[in-house]
Amino acid sequence: MYTDLGNFISSKQYSIPKMGNKSSKKQITPKTMEELRSHIDVEFSSEEIQDWYKDFRKDLRHGETELNKTAFIKVYNSLFSGDASEFAEQVFRTFDRDGNHSVDFKEFILGLCLSGSENAEKKLKWAFNMYDIDQNGYITKEEMTHIFKAICKMTGKVPQEYKSPEDMAEKIFKMLDKNSDSAISQQEFIEGADKVQILVDFLSCDPDS
């Protein structure tokens, strides 16, 4: 991905930007396409997957088949005026499903589908994983603050109804932590996200907004 990236996908707002042009002639074989669709709940058409594959390959160095964290982070820093490294690192974590510190094409497509899904349940589970940095099944106020600070650092903006990322985390965390145990479960998060839409919307960062 990441030297000549374009704008976000026009049809949906994804939490990861679209890659470069589609001049590459490399295509996924029918067999690979069938395997991809049989193992992953993909919301893209075959043509869209082919386009993403061309772009994905374009930003790999010769002989590579997977995207490393450094390349992944580079795209965000090329799109935003602020420092996007911390936020991009968390997005990379949610894409790297097998934890091998790189993202292959299947993981990449699945990550796109989850982060930009029109299915509310899928999108909320992805958002929860973004906030649950240590992946222990709960979100702490410190983790929420970290994500909010990373986004504000990247965009150079704080939502006008809040004084700071810390203030934002303090108020939103209190609203979601119904049992006051200083931890937000996935259930609390999903139930609360309906009332605090910014929790999910804030992750979909548009550099042009």
Side-chain angles (χ1 to χ4, degrees), residues 115-128:
S115 64
S117 180
E118 293 182 336
N119 180 296
E121 182 178 358
K122 291 180 184 178
K123 185 70 175 279
L124 285 171
K125 286 182 177 179
W126 176 82
F128 179 84

Side-chain angles (χ1 to χ4, degrees), residues 58-74:
K58 188 191 311 302
D59 295 289
L60 295 174
R61 290 181 293 185
H62 181 71
E64 291 183 335
T65 59
E66 301 186 1
L67 201 63
N68 63 36
K69 186 189 295 184
T70 300
F72 197 93
I73 290 173
K74 187 176 179 180

Side-chain angles (χ1 to χ4, degrees), residues 20-209:
N21 61 52
K22 305 179 179 69
S23 60
S24 172
K25 295 182 179 179
K26 295 290 185 180
Q27 290 191 327
I28 302 175
T29 65
K31 181 179 180 180
T32 303
M33 181 71 76
E34 182 180 351
E35 179 183 354
L36 184 63
R37 287 197 170 282
S38 67
H39 286 85
I40 299 176
D41 184 13
V42 174
E43 298 178 5
F44 294 126
S45 68
S46 295
E47 291 76 15
E48 287 173 322
I49 293 174
Q50 290 287 7
D51 283 345
W52 279 109
Y53 184 64
K54 293 172 188 177
D55 283 336
F56 183 85
R57 283 184 56 88
K58 188 191 311 302
D59 295 289
L60 295 174
R61 290 181 293 185
H62 181 71
E64 291 183 335
T65 59
E66 301 186 1
L67 201 63
N68 63 36
K69 186 189 295 184
T70 300
F72 197 93
I73 290 173
K74 187 176 179 180
V75 65
Y76 283 88
N77 281 323
S78 71
L79 288 173
F80 291 89
S81 57
D83 183 355
S85 301
E86 292 180 17
F87 180 75
E89 185 172 348
Q90 300 308 322
V91 177
F92 182 85
R93 170 179 54 79
T94 67
F95 276 44
D96 180 21
R97 297 174 68 81
D98 61 8
N100 71 342
H101 307 295
S102 64
V103 172
D104 63 24
F105 185 66
K106 289 182 181 179
E107 289 176 316
F108 179 73
I109 286 293
L110 180 58
L112 287 178
C113 288
L114 292 176
S115 64
S117 180
E118 293 182 336
N119 180 296
E121 182 178 358
K122 291 180 184 178
K123 185 70 175 279
L124 285 171
K125 286 182 177 179
W126 176 82
F128 179 84
N129 286 333
M130 274 291 293
Y131 288 106
D132 181 17
I133 296 174
D134 65 6
Q135 296 292 280
N136 71 344
Y138 294 90
I139 300 170
T140 64
K141 185 163 60 178
E142 289 72 24
E143 287 175 319
M144 184 175 287
T145 302
H146 181 87
I147 295 297
F148 288 166
K149 289 175 69 175
I151 295 174
C152 292
K153 187 177 182 180
M154 176 173 65
T155 62
K157 302 175 184 177
V158 177
Q160 61 182 1
E161 61 266 42
Y162 300 103
K163 298 177 182 177
S164 65
E166 292 83 357
D167 176 57
M168 184 178 178
E170 180 74 31
K171 292 177 179 177
I172 292 178
F173 191 90
K174 187 176 181 179
M175 291 175 65
L176 269 63
D177 185 18
K178 295 298 185 181
N179 60 0
S180 301
D181 65 348
S182 300
I184 298 171
S185 67
Q186 186 177 86
Q187 182 177 351
E188 286 177 314
F189 181 85
I190 291 174
E191 291 175 354
D194 287 336
K195 302 174 183 177
V196 190
Q197 188 61 38
I198 195 172
L199 266 175
V200 179
D201 291 346
F202 203 43
L203 297 175
S204 298
C205 310
D206 187 344
D208 296 323
S209 64

